[in-house]
Amino acid sequence: MLVEKNVPLQHSNTFGIAARAHALVRVRSDGDVHALRADPLWGRQPVLVLGGGSNIVLTGDVEPVVLKMEIKGIRVVGETPAAWIVEAGAGERWHDLVAWTLDHDLPGLENLALIPGTVGAAPVQNIGAYGVELQDRFDSLDGIDLSTGQGFTLDAAQCAFSYRDSVFKHAPAGARGMGLAGRAVITRVRFALPKAWKPEIGYLDIERKRAEAGVDQPTARQIFDWVCEIRRAKLPDPQVLGNAGSFFKNPTVTAEQCADIIAREPRIVHYPLTDGSIKLAAGWLIDACGWKGKSMGKAGVYERQALVLVNRGDRNSNDASVTGGEVMTLARAIQTSVYERFGIRLEPEPVVV
Ligand code: EPU
């Protein structure tokens, strides 16, 4: 195990924020985690687990030891009557896994194409897009509890998935009981890919592509291509324009609250959920407050999707790039205007460190 010191993280977070890790360990096997724990100097320090850095805002240099997850490997490990079980190392790029499954005729992840980040980070925020969430295709995951050194396996119920949320986002003694944030490292994730695959085409953008193509029953490959096209048209490529995807979660309100808002704002974009509550499009709320295309300092609101905050500085430069402070100042200004106009508190989606 090698502990690297004073490591620049600018190319390890998709915003391109120029922060440094005081200490960084590359994790290529479970053994690297055990070696870190056994180390008399580094073994008891707090850690920050970093995957692709696509869902994080760094507001300064990172004091905890950064564990850069680089465990690789994708393979079919088994089957159930209903599904093929595919296992991937936490350090695999998410999109590479999606492409691999399609190349091996194992559809099911195509709606989640082109989501930035790594396999190990995907369960943390229960990634989702175009009508499919990770939890819909999840089998189980392996990890290591850093406080005990024990390996563990969790099923979906134990991961406590909900919209952009899981047990891995909550502090060990947080409001939702025993969380695993800062305490667990995810090393491998297994997916259950349905043998009786059906296309998920309910989402409006996909339905539009299907109608344009004049196809009734699209193949998984077609959906994959459409999702890639939709994302490329709507969302900025982090290699070109730094960002962390959607910056806020879509808020949910009660039917009464929604009726009240619709009375004032008839055009508000909203979706009824199965539990009777209503999900509001945060991008619409921010857009309606006039933020699209606006900037504060070097932090900006993307002109094609108001839910995405972007780096208007130079993402390759140490001192001309956006800072985490600038991103959070813009985020707070947006939260204030959405609250003042709609009475709704937007909750940031990325992890703020
Ligand atoms: N809208 C506006 N103005 C905007 C942006 C959006 O009016 O500037 C409206 C759109 O017209 C649309 C609605 O808001 O009617 C929803 O927009 P969109 O379809 O782009 O989806 P979203 O709710 O903004 C969510 C996810 C995305 C995911 C897409 C597709 C969250 C926080 N975001 O965005 O996930 O790709 O749906 O499923 O749930 C991410 O988490 O990083 C992410 C990109």
Side-chain angles (χ1 to χ4, degrees):
M1 178 202 63
L2 176 71
V3 180
E4 298 169 44
K5 312 275 173 50
N6 199 25
V7 183
L9 293 176
Q10 189 164 23
H11 295 292
S12 301
N13 73 98
T14 57
F15 250 119
I17 292 169
R20 287 176 172 268
H22 290 294
L24 180 144
V25 174
R26 292 177 197 280
V27 176
R28 299 195 171 115
S29 70
D30 293 22
D32 289 333
V33 179
H34 296 304
L36 175 71
R37 278 197 79 258
D39 188 281
L41 177 60
W42 300 103
R44 293 286 166 265
Q45 310 264 343
V47 299
L48 172 75
V49 180
L50 194 62
S54 61
N55 200 45
I56 196 165
V57 183
L58 299 172
T59 56
D61 289 342
V62 181
E63 298 288 342
V65 180
V66 172
L67 296 190
K68 183 91 172 54
M69 298 310 291
E70 297 183 356
I71 297 177
K72 299 285 185 173
I74 305 177
R75 62 203 176 111
V76 178
V77 290
E79 64 179 297
T80 66
W84 301 107
I85 309 297
V86 173
E87 180 180 273
E92 290 286 350
R93 272 177 24 141
W94 174 263
H95 182 73
D96 293 348
L97 167 67
V98 177
W100 186 97
T101 56
L102 290 184
D103 289 345
H104 290 76
D105 280 328
L106 297 163
L109 297 179
E110 56 284 347
N111 294 53
L112 303 175
L114 225 56
I115 295 183
T118 53
V119 165
V124 175
Q125 53 154 334
N126 183 23
I127 59 169
Y130 308 106
V132 177
E133 284 185 315
L134 172 121
Q135 65 176 337
D136 304 324
R137 302 285 183 261
F138 181 83
D139 174 68
S140 55
L141 60 75
D142 298 336
I144 299 171
D145 183 331
L146 291 165
S147 59
T148 63
Q150 294 287 314
F152 62 80
T153 297
L154 299 185
D155 64 17
Q158 291 166 315
C159 290
F161 292 124
S162 63
Y163 169 62
R164 293 296 192 276
D165 199 22
S166 76
V167 71
F168 301 102
K169 270 193 151 180
H170 293 267
R176 291 182 46 171
M178 274 311 271
L180 290 173
R183 179 172 160 183
V185 188
I186 297 169
T187 51
R188 269 168 294 276
V189 185
R190 282 173 295 278
F191 300 88
L193 303 179
K195 290 179 178 172
W197 174 83
K198 286 198 305 296
E200 289 291 342
I201 49 177
Y203 200 92
L204 188 67
D205 286 347
I206 304 269
E207 174 50 28
R208 220 175 263 149
K209 287 276 183 194
R210 190 200 60 73
E212 263 170 41
V215 183
D216 247 8
Q217 284 291 304
T219 63
R221 178 67 66 178
Q222 280 173 314
I223 295 177
F224 174 89
D225 290 342
W226 295 339
V227 168
C228 291
E229 285 169 24
I230 296 164
R231 292 189 75 94
R232 288 199 174 107
K234 265 198 181 177
L235 299 168
D237 176 354
Q239 298 293 335
V240 181
L241 191 62
N243 74 88
S246 298
F247 199 88
F248 299 100
K249 295 186 188 184
N250 284 328
T252 43
V253 293
T254 63
E256 296 78 57
Q257 282 172 310
C258 190
D260 190 48
I261 299 174
I262 291 173
R264 287 180 284 131
E265 309 274 351
R267 292 181 307 113
I268 195 163
V269 177
H270 60 286
Y271 318 94
L273 301 179
T274 43
D275 66 1
S277 63
I278 314 266
K279 185 181 272 192
L280 304 177
W284 188 91
L285 300 173
I286 299 167
D287 198 356
C289 290
W291 280 104
K292 207 183 240 178
K294 295 274 168 61
S295 294
M296 283 178 79
K298 292 188 285 300
V301 180
Y302 191 50
E303 42 286 295
R304 274 181 268 161
Q305 193 355 333
L307 196 49
V308 179
L309 303 192
V310 296
N311 181 354
R312 295 258 173 244
D314 178 353
R315 63 150 306 161
N316 293 307
S317 147
N318 212 359
D319 33 54
S321 191
V322 76
T323 65
E326 285 175 305
V327 172
M328 294 314 294
T329 300
L330 174 61
R332 278 190 285 269
I334 292 171
Q335 284 171 311
T336 303
S337 40
V338 168
Y339 184 71
E340 284 173 355
R341 168 132 177 222
F342 299 103
I344 289 165
R345 290 184 199 282
L346 291 182
E347 202 186 314
E349 208 257 300
V351 177
V352 181
V353 177

